[in-house]
Amino acid sequence: KAGVTQTPRYLIKTRGQQVTLSCSPISGHRSVSWYQQTPGQGLQFLFEYFSETQRNKGNFPGRFSGRQFSNSRSEMNVSTLELGDSALYLCASSPKREWGTGELFFGEGSRLTVL
Amino acid sequence: AQKVTQAQTEISVVEKEDVTLDCVYETRDTTYYLFWYKQPPSGELVFLIRRNSFDEQNEISGRYSWNFQKSTSSFNFTITASQVVDSAVYFCALNAGNNRKLIWGLGTSLAVNP
């Protein structure tokens, strides 16, 4: 069974640009969540989707957005990139809507560097 | 407020030593879940264990064991006879009440040296 797949694995952007990251969950998983991981702040929740609907959102500015498609694949977009957006962006999926209380399956992340 | 504290930022041990990773949590909710995840250098977080607030029974899985004590709000993780492959960052996380977000500790980086 394939795991959670995130693309691209590494990318470099410059300030002001935008970026789109993709996440393919484990087959059959309908809940997808996104995290930002930085050395200083640790793991911070971005948003969660279930059946194409955003169910929960973290405390990030509107430059961070996401969506989920009918096949459960998800994308997140960051517009007008800032240096502080440099981070590892992790996607996690789970089979049920009980996200938060059950096991999460993570991808290897997309490492974004903003210059 | 909900909070998870992993006071140990980095731990370095020699192979075959036992090591305990500390996790202290804060919540006013009576129903909550605690987790441990492992993050190897590849970056992918791997689920290790989940414990709910009504189950204080300690658990052992091979070389791994967990000690959950509500009286001290702690959920500590012990690796017995550590191995180089145990080198990773370990995260403790909390989900409490109706909050669908996981609250994460900052992680403990464990280095097991041969």
Side-chain angles (χ1 to χ4, degrees):
Chain A
K1 196 173 186 181
V4 177
T5 304
Q6 292 188 244
T7 57
R9 290 291 315 280
Y10 302 91
L11 65 166
I12 299 174
K13 294 284 187 178
T14 57
R15 280 181 297 174
Q17 287 187 311
Q18 74 158 13
V19 65
T20 298
L21 309 178
S22 178
C23 171
S24 294
I26 291 173
S27 178
H29 286 194
R30 296 168 62 189
S31 175
V32 173
S33 53
W34 288 89
Y35 287 92
Q36 181 195 65
Q37 185 178 20
T38 58
Q41 300 296 320
L43 280 151
Q44 293 187 286
F45 170 76
L46 281 158
F47 18 66
E48 179 218 349
Y49 290 89
F50 183 84
S51 293
E52 302 179 67
T53 302
Q54 187 179 92
R55 297 294 182 182
N56 210 348
K57 190 176 189 305
N59 298 321
F60 279 81
R63 301 184 297 107
F64 291 81
S65 62
R67 59 178 175 170
Q68 186 180 35
F69 302 95
S70 58
N71 61 358
S72 294
R73 190 177 70 86
S74 178
E75 288 182 348
M76 67 162 282
N77 183 278
V78 187
S79 62
T80 318
L81 284 167
E82 301 176 358
L83 295 178
D85 296 334
S86 294
L88 179 67
Y89 290 87
L90 290 162
C91 169
S93 74
S94 65
K96 301 179 183 179
R97 195 183 161 185
E98 57 181 45
W99 185 83
T101 60
E103 177 182 355
L104 294 176
F105 298 81
F106 282 85
E108 292 182 315
S110 293
R111 185 166 295 283
L112 170 65
T113 301
V114 182
L115 303 176
Chain B
Q2 297 162 4
K3 185 178 179 181
V4 174
T5 301
Q6 294 180 256
Q8 305 147 307
T9 305
E10 295 180 356
I11 300 176
S12 181
V13 300
V14 176
E15 207 170 15
K16 297 184 183 178
E17 282 187 36
D18 298 347
V19 58
T20 295
L21 310 181
D22 298 333
C23 173
V24 174
Y25 62 93
E26 296 177 27
T27 180
R28 293 179 181 173
D29 293 286
T30 55
T31 301
Y32 52 89
Y33 296 83
L34 293 162
F35 301 82
W36 276 96
Y37 280 83
K38 172 183 179 181
Q39 187 177 39
S42 63
E44 175 185 357
L45 282 139
V46 178
F47 169 84
L48 295 176
I49 191 171
R50 179 187 77 165
R51 183 57 89 226
N52 72 55
S53 52
F54 300 106
D55 181 5
E56 282 194 78
Q57 191 172 26
N58 292 327
E59 182 159 336
I60 298 174
S61 177
R63 297 184 295 106
Y64 295 172
S65 62
W66 290 269
N67 185 323
F68 177 29
Q69 292 195 343
K70 291 175 72 171
S71 60
T72 56
S73 296
S74 65
F75 187 40
N76 296 336
F77 173 31
T78 297
I79 301 175
T80 303
S82 60
Q83 299 177 1
V84 173
V85 293
D86 295 327
S87 297
V89 181
Y90 291 86
F91 291 92
C92 181
L94 164 72
N95 175 273
N98 294 320
N99 191 342
R100 294 172 57 78
K101 305 175 187 178
L102 276 173
I103 307 300
W104 298 80
L106 291 179
T108 297
S109 178
L110 173 65
V112 181
N113 303 298

